[in-house]
Amino acid sequence: MARWEPGAEERLREAALLLFDEQGFEKTTVAQIAERAGLNRRTFFHHFADKREVVFAGQETSDELIATAIRTQPEGVPPLPAAVAGLAHAADTLYEQYREGAVLLGRVIAASPELRERELVKRAALADTIAAALRARDTNEPAAAVAAWTAVAIFFVARNHWNQPGNNRTLADLMTATLENYLTTAEGRPGGVL
Amino acid sequence: MARWEPGAEERLREAALLLFDEQGFEKTTVAQIAERAGLNRRTFFHHFADKREVVFAGQETSDELIATAIRTQPEGVPPLPAAVAGLAHAADTLYEQYREGAVLLGRVIAASPELRERELVKRAALADTIAAALRARDTNEPAAAVAAWTAVAIFFVARNHWNQPGNNRTLADLMTATLENYLTTAEGRPGGVL
DNA sequence: CAGGTGATTGCACTCAGTGGCATCACCGTA
DNA sequence: TACGGTGATGCCACTGAGTGCAATCACCTG
């Protein structure tokens, strides 16, 4: 007989998400999360660096995958389409599986300023990864940074659609459409609404 | 004779910046800041909502100014150039005065993850303002969000150059140059005629 | 069976942030 | 001059996040 029930981390994550959804992130204490998971407050901090991390854990963006997906785009492809294509490829591999939990997750994050703040950090890290990959394709530094942030914006705009309860298009599909729409709209031509 | 020395808020800000620069943000306690400013710990929180805010206070982005600057761009101008032009116009009015303090401020923020995190929140708020202004110019929703984040990226890339000790170009000038460079290299349109 | 490993726990601590209340110069008004 | 309101400041006590350290104890290995 095991001394501890297995899956402590998963239990903590689940308890946290439910409590955050019920009471809000700010009104939920780590002690409550631990108690619902049948664990000690101290144990929570052995699994997650802080209270916010429990929401984002498991969403490792796999920098390696994204970077190589961008680097291996055909040579002639300009930076922004290359970044979006690489990101879309990686997104299909990484994100498509989370589809069920994504709605709850999105609601919880949207409801809390502190969690939105942490998500921005993830965004920035993603942008840095993309920018580095673009520089490796000989894009100059300022353009790489700007294109990276544009690609990230496209990713999150697409993800917000993908998150919608009724949606059944793939994330990669939505990203391509968002890029298309952005480029045609930015040029001032009518049409192309996502 | 006044009961209190005037300029408490300014004294707190100055003490905080110096201490952050000397010891780092994380190793500095609010009690230390207050003590150096000759004030009570509690008083600090009467002036600033939290420890991070003392760094960003006074950098109000004046949403109103930016929004109108974007909205009043000539009608034919497409979203991204309109956003950048409006932002550049507002930047000249708002930022050019802070030039002296900007180097120290930049160094302090760059050195602390917590402060970089807070700066991202300001970025996101700026992007929301810009996106709203673009929608008011009849840009469709997804394109407005993407163009807004691109404009913000251009702004911060330009600001990093502007922050450099040797620099003597204006922020607006650098923004225009960054946009120019981005359009010619990143989106794959020869000549960069957006 | 002895010893090491690792997940868990308990305790005590620092520090951010908050709420409530007291203080007291200053200002306007009677 | 007196009086009451205002607002910046100070003090006390509290909650809760996050940390350091040591102890526990099932399980594994030699």
Side-chain angles (χ1 to χ4, degrees):
Chain A
M1 181 175 58
R3 181 179 181 197
W4 319 286
E5 295 302 314
E9 198 161 313
E10 193 45 44
R11 258 154 50 224
L12 283 167
R13 184 160 31 241
E14 194 177 318
L17 278 180
L18 292 178
L19 282 167
F20 293 165
D21 196 35
E22 291 168 15
Q23 318 176 343
F25 176 82
E26 282 78 10
K27 305 241 173 200
T28 304
T29 72
V30 172
Q32 285 175 2
I33 300 170
E35 192 190 6
R36 184 175 289 200
L39 290 167
N40 186 277
R41 194 183 90 92
R42 193 66 186 81
T43 304
F44 178 92
F45 289 106
H46 280 291
H47 288 279
F48 307 100
D50 60 59
K51 198 177 142 191
R52 300 172 215 75
E53 259 323 282
V54 70
V55 173
F56 297 97
Q59 301 210 339
E60 279 67 44
T61 13
S62 180
D63 291 7
E64 208 44 60
L65 182 63
I66 293 170
T68 57
I70 291 175
R71 266 196 290 263
T72 55
Q73 291 295 310
E75 186 146 354
V77 180
L80 181 59
V84 171
L87 199 49
H89 175 266
D92 261 353
T93 311
L94 293 171
Y95 271 66
E96 215 55 50
Q97 49 177 319
Y98 292 116
R99 205 147 184 165
E100 355 73 65
V103 175
L104 169 61
L105 211 59
R107 186 170 61 228
V108 168
I109 293 175
S112 157
E114 281 194 64
L115 291 176
R116 287 202 303 274
E117 191 167 337
R118 177 59 65 96
E119 188 175 70
L120 289 175
V121 174
K122 306 282 179 183
R123 255 185 230 215
L126 182 56
D128 285 348
T129 299
I130 295 172
L134 289 177
R135 282 196 300 273
R137 282 172 52 96
D138 291 328
T139 304
N140 70 71
E141 161 53 33
V146 175
W149 275 98
T150 305
V152 169
I154 288 172
F155 174 74
F156 277 90
V157 165
R159 209 202 53 177
N160 282 350
H161 283 263
W162 179 76
N163 261 351
Q164 297 301 315
N167 169 64
N168 56 3
R169 299 172 71 182
T170 90
L171 188 45
D173 183 18
L174 288 165
M175 284 184 66
T176 308
T178 305
L179 171 63
E180 211 50 51
N181 171 51
Y182 168 67
L183 289 177
T184 54
T185 307
E187 283 178 6
R189 285 201 247 111
V193 180
L194 181 68
Chain B
M1 184 173 56
R3 181 180 179 196
W4 320 285
E5 295 301 312
E9 198 161 312
E10 193 44 44
R11 257 153 53 223
L12 283 168
R13 181 155 38 235
E14 194 177 318
L17 278 179
L18 293 178
L19 282 167
F20 292 164
D21 196 34
E22 292 167 16
Q23 318 177 340
F25 176 82
E26 282 78 10
K27 305 241 174 196
T28 303
T29 71
V30 172
Q32 286 174 1
I33 300 170
E35 191 189 6
R36 185 175 288 201
L39 291 167
N40 185 275
R41 194 183 90 93
R42 194 65 186 80
T43 304
F44 178 93
F45 289 106
H46 281 296
H47 289 277
F48 306 100
D50 61 58
K51 197 176 144 190
R52 300 175 216 77
E53 256 326 279
V54 70
V55 173
F56 296 97
Q59 300 209 342
E60 280 66 43
T61 13
S62 181
D63 292 6
E64 208 43 62
L65 182 63
I66 293 169
T68 57
I70 291 175
R71 266 196 289 262
T72 55
Q73 290 294 310
E75 187 146 352
V77 181
L80 181 59
V84 171
L87 200 48
H89 175 266
D92 261 354
T93 310
L94 293 172
Y95 271 65
E96 215 54 51
Q97 48 177 321
Y98 292 115
R99 207 148 181 163
E100 355 72 63
V103 176
L104 170 60
L105 210 59
R107 186 170 61 229
V108 168
I109 293 174
S112 158
E114 281 196 64
L115 291 177
R116 287 201 305 274
E117 191 167 336
R118 177 59 65 96
E119 188 175 71
L120 289 174
V121 174
K122 306 282 178 180
R123 255 186 232 215
L126 182 57
D128 286 347
T129 300
I130 295 171
L134 289 178
R135 282 196 300 273
R137 281 172 54 96
D138 291 329
T139 304
N140 71 71
E141 161 54 33
V146 175
W149 276 98
T150 305
V152 168
I154 288 172
F155 174 73
F156 277 91
V157 165
R159 210 202 53 175
N160 283 350
H161 282 265
W162 179 75
N163 261 350
Q164 298 301 317
N167 168 64
N168 57 3
R169 298 172 71 183
T170 90
L171 188 45
D173 183 18
L174 289 166
M175 285 184 66
T176 308
T178 305
L179 170 62
E180 211 50 51
N181 171 49
Y182 169 68
L183 289 178
T184 52
T185 60
E187 291 188 356
R189 294 196 219 97
V193 192
L194 184 62

